[in-house]
Amino acid sequence: MDVMTALWMAVPAVVLAHAAVCDLRTREVPDWHWAAIGLIGPILCLLSVQGLSVCVLLVSVMLTVCMLSERLDGFRAVPVIVASAVLMSVPVFTEDSGWTRYAGLSVLAMYLLFYAMYFTGLLRGGADAKCLMSLALAFPVYPVSDPLPLLWVMDQPESLVANLSMSVLVVSLALSLSSVFYVLCVNLRQGHRGRRMLTAFPMDVGRARMAFVWPVERVADGEKVPSRDYDSKERILDELEAAGIERVMVTPMIPFVLPVAVSFAVVVVLGSPMAPLLSV
């Protein structure tokens, strides 16, 4: 394995490990982690992969700034996205470098996918979305350098679809399912039964304020009703207490950056578990 490829894999791994510790301790991750991955990763990628267009680096810088800037959210990000799409299309029509000329379009597609998942609530935390978006920017192509990956080797054209960030997402979601077992054990210990016993458990409102949990119920007309408002924990708990409600159903705040960091190590060392499916 050459030095540049090793650094390309190692630098995001170290940053992700530190981000996972922050997420585990406080459920908050400073944005410098995603700036480091989104800016340093593409540079190392460009130095490691032959035939990759410099347009990928330019767009990675643009999208990293867009991702971290509060002034470029919502519709204000549209010009940046359009400009990125134009730049990513340049290698497709001007270069004859094989499959790598499509790498930029794969990056943009994954970036928009993760943003859409956050916008629709499939990814609850902003740090979770930024983490996956920065990995998409840092790895426009799958990192392959002897002897890695050890198990699942992704063919080059297919790696634009089952790329590293997509593979990390799939493995992370599988690892996150372990929270279902935790919630089930809590409910069985408390003797709670119900249709949501795999996703939520009851907790005293006062304790919920100090715990890493989201309330999945709120008050409406004096009664508890389901809620998916994960940005208003304190307000919801205040309203529950004001209504005289002492217990509320909650779901754990999963430190999603932790399974992402573990998944990153898995897909770099072992390869993409999607490789056998795409090679059929």
Side-chain angles (χ1 to χ4, degrees):
M1 181 183 298
D2 64 271
V3 175
M4 282 302 170
T5 303
L7 286 173
W8 181 30
M9 299 177 183
V11 171
V14 172
V15 176
L16 278 175
H18 188 272
V21 172
C22 294
D23 198 23
L24 190 61
R25 288 179 175 176
T26 66
R27 297 305 192 273
E28 294 182 359
V29 183
D31 279 347
W32 70 259
H33 294 86
W34 321 132
I37 295 176
L39 296 176
I40 298 175
I43 295 174
L44 296 174
C45 176
L46 196 65
L47 296 174
S48 304
V49 180
Q50 293 183 351
L52 199 63
S53 172
V54 71
C55 290
V56 175
L57 175 58
L58 296 176
V59 171
S60 295
V61 172
M62 292 171 57
L63 292 180
T64 299
V65 172
C66 181
M67 173 179 67
L68 300 178
S69 174
E70 295 181 357
R71 296 183 178 182
L72 294 175
D73 59 345
F75 288 106
R76 286 175 289 186
V78 172
V80 178
I81 300 299
V82 172
S84 299
V86 172
L87 274 175
M88 290 298 197
S89 301
V90 170
V92 177
F93 298 104
T94 62
E95 298 184 11
D96 186 18
S97 55
W99 63 276
T100 56
R101 68 180 186 269
Y102 299 104
L105 296 179
S106 175
V107 169
L108 185 59
M110 295 307 304
Y111 183 94
L112 293 176
L113 171 64
F114 296 139
Y115 180 82
M117 292 179 67
Y118 172 70
F119 184 78
T120 57
L122 294 177
L123 287 172
R124 294 180 183 174
D128 303 340
K130 292 174 184 177
C131 179
L132 291 169
M133 292 160 81
S134 64
L135 287 177
L137 298 175
F139 294 91
V141 297
Y142 210 99
V144 176
S145 183
D146 189 57
L148 300 179
L150 299 175
L151 186 58
W152 300 300
V153 180
M154 180 68 68
D155 292 333
Q156 291 177 341
E158 286 79 2
S159 69
L160 297 178
V161 178
N163 50 48
L164 181 135
S165 58
M166 174 60 77
S167 301
V168 166
L169 174 64
V170 171
V171 178
S172 299
L173 291 176
L175 292 176
S176 297
L177 290 177
S178 60
S179 65
V180 173
F181 179 73
Y182 168 76
V183 172
L184 177 62
C185 289
V186 172
N187 280 320
L188 291 176
R189 187 174 68 248
Q190 295 185 6
H192 176 75
R193 301 291 188 273
R195 61 183 180 86
R196 293 190 297 179
M197 64 183 301
L198 297 179
T199 58
F201 54 88
M203 178 178 284
D204 292 340
V205 172
R207 185 183 171 195
R209 291 185 183 277
M210 307 300 296
F212 289 129
V213 294
W214 298 111
V216 295
E217 295 176 318
R218 60 181 178 84
V219 173
D221 298 326
E223 300 291 335
K224 289 191 294 184
V225 297
S227 171
R228 290 180 58 86
D229 185 359
Y230 299 113
D231 295 325
S232 306
K233 174 181 175 179
E234 292 300 324
R235 177 178 58 78
I236 290 174
L237 295 178
D238 288 342
E239 292 174 352
L240 288 167
E241 282 191 334
I245 298 174
E246 298 180 353
R247 288 177 70 79
V248 60
M249 294 294 292
V250 299
T251 189
M253 291 183 185
I254 301 173
F256 191 63
V257 176
L258 177 60
V260 168
V262 174
S263 300
F264 178 81
V266 169
V267 302
V268 167
V269 176
L270 298 182
S272 173
M274 301 169 68
L277 299 177
L278 294 177
S279 62
V280 175

